[in-house]
Amino acid sequence: MIEPGSTDGMNGSERATGRLPWDAPDRVSRLAGVELAGLVSEVPLDAVTITAVPVNDPSEPATLGQSLMATFPGLFDAVRGNIVTGRYFDTGHDARADRVAVLGSRAAERLGINRVDSQPSIFIGDSSYTVIGIIDGMERRSDLLDAVVVPMGTARADFGLTGPDELQIRIALGAGKVVAEQAPLALDPNAAQNFEVQAPSARSALRENVQADVNVISLILGVLALVAGGLGIANVTLLSVMERVGEIGLRRALGATKRNISSQFMVESVVIGLLGGLIGAALGVFAVVIVSPIQQWAPVVDPWLAAGSALLGAVVGLAAGVYPALKASNIEPIVALRGGN
């Protein structure tokens, strides 16, 4: 979207520093990445109102108020509009300044118009305008659903419209940055700074933001998986200690030191963690090799990452085995032999 720039006036009001040219859609349509473009402007009506006079009761016309907008034909496709019934006006209507109008769906409902095959008319002040279509959708300009829309040429001829308010542009995916830089130059090479451009983020920036979020979530899930795995190893090792109390007592009676006992269970925990890491790394590599051809991707596997995953499993096993090993080494031989019997 492109708008004329503005600055603060003497009395605090905003003053426009530029003006969109009437042929702005043609100028920007030559830029790479621009698919469609259209102008839109609000038409000031002063004390004039928009009414519809039903046939059954002309004395009580439905009144819409002062919601009148002027557009070029290309705006409809640029803002992804949808035709409910009838049609949108074309370049011929605009060039001839025909008195035709298109209603937004909510405006049509308030005016009591739901079909155009009988050529219904609305009145803007004392002038009659034929309704040729009713529109919906308008994802990027939902305010048009509450308005009467007339051709830009008609607004210039009947209401003295001096200039468009806004240029809506539909661009190709990833072209936002380029169009934002080039569009002001295409509109006015000598005063490009007089236009304000709002463009979506570049595809690469959006992708990086999404990728960063995915990486954070993956890291959190990975940490949770390691914590769960460590608790599992600690639980299994502690259960092994409780089941082998007699063995621990016998070894202590035969001269094994506390360090020998703790080392035994630490090694067991490390082996369990290492085996878990090897299995997990193997499954991960296997999944990449199998899924990549199915999705038509090029499989990329870092061998150092796979080896590091296995070693990380061993580190988790080492940390998880500390408490069970200390508990086993602190068992007294006589108590252990009695418990084992």
Side-chain angles (χ1 to χ4, degrees), residues 49-173:
T49 58
I50 303 172
T51 61
V53 182
V55 176
N56 60 350
D57 191 359
S59 64
E60 295 183 5
T63 302
L64 180 63
Q66 299 181 346
S67 299
L68 181 63
M69 306 291 288
T71 74
F72 272 177
L75 178 84
F76 179 72
D77 293 324
V79 297
R80 305 181 189 276
N82 177 50
I83 289 288
V84 176
T85 183
R87 55 172 294 194
Y88 207 75
F89 46 78
D90 54 31
T91 54
H93 293 119
D94 185 81
R96 295 187 301 267
D98 291 340
R99 287 185 172 179
V100 295
V102 173
L103 304 181
S105 57
R106 293 195 288 264
E109 182 179 357
R110 290 199 294 271
L111 290 171
I113 298 175
N114 54 24
R115 52 189 298 179
V116 298
D117 54 351
S118 58
Q119 295 185 328
S121 294
I122 60 171
F123 292 85
I124 304 177
D126 296 328
S127 302
S128 173
Y129 290 77
T130 302
V131 178
I132 62 173
I134 298 174
I135 57 175
D136 201 350
M138 298 293 184
E139 298 177 4
R140 294 166 58 183
R141 283 301 301 259
S142 59
D143 58 324
L144 293 177
L145 301 181
D146 296 298
V148 172
V149 185
V150 298
M152 195 74 74
T154 304
R156 295 174 67 184
D158 292 355
F159 305 101
L161 185 66
T162 58
D165 294 338
E166 182 181 306
L167 174 64
Q168 286 282 347
I169 304 175
R170 195 168 89 185
I171 61 175
L173 186 64

Side-chain angles (χ1 to χ4, degrees), residues 268-295:
E268 292 181 3
S269 296
V270 171
V271 170
I272 294 174
L274 180 61
L275 289 176
L278 288 172
I279 294 173
L283 290 175
V285 172
F286 181 76
V288 170
V289 173
I290 295 299
V291 172
S292 294
I294 296 176
Q295 298 293 332

Side-chain angles (χ1 to χ4, degrees), residues 226-244 265 268-270 272-273 316-325 327-328:
L226 290 176
V227 172
L231 292 176
I233 294 174
N235 187 43
V236 170
T237 306
L238 188 59
L239 183 62
S240 177
V241 170
M242 302 305 296
E243 292 178 347
R244 296 160 62 183
F265 288 97
E268 292 181 3
S269 296
V270 171
I272 294 174
V316 172
L318 179 65
V322 172
Y323 175 72
K327 188 174 182 62

